Amino acid sequence: MDFETEAGILQYLQSHDKTRGIVAVKKLSGGNANYVYRGTIAEPSADLFGGRSTVVIKHAAGHSASQRQMALYTDRMVFEQTVLGIVADASDNKNNNSKEDEHIETANVKVPRVLYWDHENNVVIQEDAGMTSTHLKGFISSLAQPPSPRLAKEIGSSLGEFIARLHLYGFRHRSELYPNKMANTEALSLSRLILYDQFPKAASKYMEDQPQFDRDVIDLASKWGGDRLMSEPETLAHGDFWPGNFLVDSATGEGNEITIKSIYIVDWEMSRYGPAAMDLGQFIAEAFSLNKYRHPCEELMTSFLEAYCKIYGDRLTTTDLKTAVIHCGAHLMSWTPYTGWFKEDDDHDAKSKEITLIGAEFVKHAWIEDWAWVRQETAFRVMVDHLKL
């Protein structure tokens, strides 16, 4: 059966009793790994997906949906369903031993509930984040004016609290979840391949005229970070914690004041046990790019780290800070030049070199543990101050 077209997925849905109520589907943009659709239910009822009028349908093929030549493991969807169940159960008090401080979801940051799961065909139906929701990168980019400090702080604090709660829960429950449920070694290997093995190659294009020490540090940090990723199952991590995976539903009130109704964290296929700090590094790299290329939003980064440190800060070490800053720099070098932050005809090569060298500075100063520079030049000053360095 064809799961890669609207007609094919609708045929599949219509052939199963539990999904036959979905009468129309529309392919959604933005999915790289999977084929993603929104399904419409003609006659919503409580016994059909809880009365919802729309749902999201995902199919995991053995290749990337956006790059068919890129092979992917289909069991990635198993890990997504597992971790979504973990987060939902913790937040819904399904565990009899659950305490309030073990809730992972916050007042406005949620995960979609799993409504249907066909393991054989790798098809999942999930709660829809909303017809008007958009990912955080697009949300901030589309604003006519920079987000107010209040709005940026609200978003950053909410996301920082959520990911800290996830990491804390994963740390406390590691013996239950690792390695029997959430090892996901394929995700670890893929992350190493596309980031830690990649950023020295990205650096080499623009660092030929840089000091030999700076170039050597890139290779050393690449191996160190990759080894940490593969050998430090610290806690449950999202693994792809960037604004493209945060679906924002907002409202505009009196005086054009924007408020956040909800943020849904999606695409959990890379979730695994690994270093918590790598989730932080990825988010800060993307927020840095929002701040640099879209709208000033420094508060998004600092409030995120402040909220995080309040919850997970007792477990943070200098090694975590080093990991987060190196991961951030590696992401700026490997991904930012190639993911639409600036146009091909907009002095692309010069901007690519600029952001690559900025990323290299992050990596170098973290590697030599120059915390004075990190505090002066980056949002990671929040962690530096927390650790009293």
Side-chain angles (χ1 to χ4, degrees), residues 3 11 18 63 234 265 290:
F3 296 97
Q11 181 184 4
K18 291 183 178 180
H63 58 266
E234 174 193 347
I265 310 299
L290 280 169

Side-chain angles (χ1 to χ4, degrees), residues 41 44-45 48-55 113 115 126-128:
I41 299 162
S45 63
L48 180 63
F49 306 126
R52 294 171 174 85
S53 59
T54 63
V55 292
R113 296 309 191 251
L115 307 173
Q126 298 176 353
E127 180 182 5
D128 191 348

Side-chain angles (χ1 to χ4, degrees), residues 55-73:
V55 292
V56 170
I57 305 137
K58 298 174 67 172
H59 168 64
H63 58 266
S64 166
S66 61
Q67 301 180 57
R68 293 183 62 88
Q69 71 278 12
M70 181 179 178
L72 291 176
Y73 62 105

